[in-house]
Amino acid sequence: ALAELVATRGPALVGYAYLLCGDRREAEDLVQDALVKTFASARRGTALANTEGYVRRAVLTTYLDGFRRRRRWAAVRHLAGGEEVVAGPEAAVGDRLAVRDALAGLSPRERACVVLRFYEDMTVPQVADVLGLAQGTVKRYLSQGLARLGEVVRDTDDDVEITWRTR
């Protein structure tokens, strides 16, 4: 089941984790940790669809639990050196980078709410249930997160009109 899950849904799981954390390597680590946690305690005969749900939940939990560790690292990261900048086709990926940067500027809860709402296509009640928050709190996090996302994306391209819908 593990090999089948990684082969068929591995890239989607890493993409989900990337939306949460904003770093490819950290996303791969999140998925790997989630797979270990899920399959260390999994029962035999669990359906692939169910297993993916367990892994996605473990990715989200691991991301939220690791916030303090990441915040501590961010405080001392500059001591370890900067990121390497590689020349490339920046014009073609400008929008993707703007969204990535905008997501990076959100708090962990805002980011989790936005990713669950728009990437996982969950309703507000579902997001509230997954995160263990009140629906009003989720709506506030979504409102604040979308306002910040709109500011960043709008600043990068004045011709882009962004409309967000919530249900």
Side-chain angles (χ1 to χ4, degrees), residues 99-122:
V99 171
R100 184 193 70 186
D101 293 342
L103 282 172
L106 300 179
S107 73
R109 290 287 183 179
E110 289 172 342
R111 188 176 197 157
C113 286
V114 169
V115 169
L116 290 175
R117 173 66 185 94
F118 295 101
Y119 181 74
E120 287 291 317
D121 199 28
M122 292 182 175

Side-chain angles (χ1 to χ4, degrees), residues 8-48:
T8 59
R9 300 298 300 156
L13 290 169
V14 172
Y16 172 65
Y18 177 82
L19 287 174
L20 287 170
C21 67
D23 180 70
R24 175 80 177 172
R25 283 176 259 164
E26 188 175 346
E28 291 170 350
D29 288 344
L30 274 173
V31 171
Q32 183 176 5
D33 291 346
L35 287 169
V36 168
K37 287 178 183 179
T38 302
F39 282 91
S41 62
R43 298 181 192 136
R44 289 194 173 274
T46 304
L48 181 62

Side-chain angles (χ1 to χ4, degrees), residues 31-153:
V31 171
Q32 183 176 5
D33 291 346
L35 287 169
V36 168
K37 287 178 183 179
T38 302
F39 282 91
S41 62
R43 298 181 192 136
R44 289 194 173 274
T46 304
L48 181 62
N50 294 342
T51 306
E52 182 180 355
Y54 294 141
V55 172
R56 283 180 180 268
R57 178 61 185 193
V59 166
L60 177 63
T61 303
T62 303
Y63 167 73
L64 292 175
D65 290 345
F67 174 67
R68 281 188 225 139
R69 177 180 47 85
R70 287 188 303 277
R71 187 174 60 194
R72 171 73 177 126
W73 173 243
V76 295
R77 183 182 340 179
H78 67 282
L79 300 174
E83 294 183 25
E84 292 184 27
V85 178
V86 179
E90 289 83 13
V93 295
D95 291 339
R96 190 184 101 205
L97 293 175
V99 171
R100 184 193 70 186
D101 293 342
L103 282 172
L106 300 179
S107 73
R109 290 287 183 179
E110 289 172 342
R111 188 176 197 157
C113 286
V114 169
V115 169
L116 290 175
R117 173 66 185 94
F118 295 101
Y119 181 74
E120 287 291 317
D121 199 28
M122 292 182 175
T123 63
V124 170
Q126 289 171 328
V127 173
D129 185 49
V130 167
L131 296 178
L133 300 171
Q135 289 184 30
T137 305
V138 170
K139 288 177 184 179
R140 179 173 46 96
Y141 283 140
L142 284 171
S143 176
Q144 291 169 344
L146 294 177
R148 287 187 188 170
L149 287 173
E151 289 172 8
V152 173
V153 174

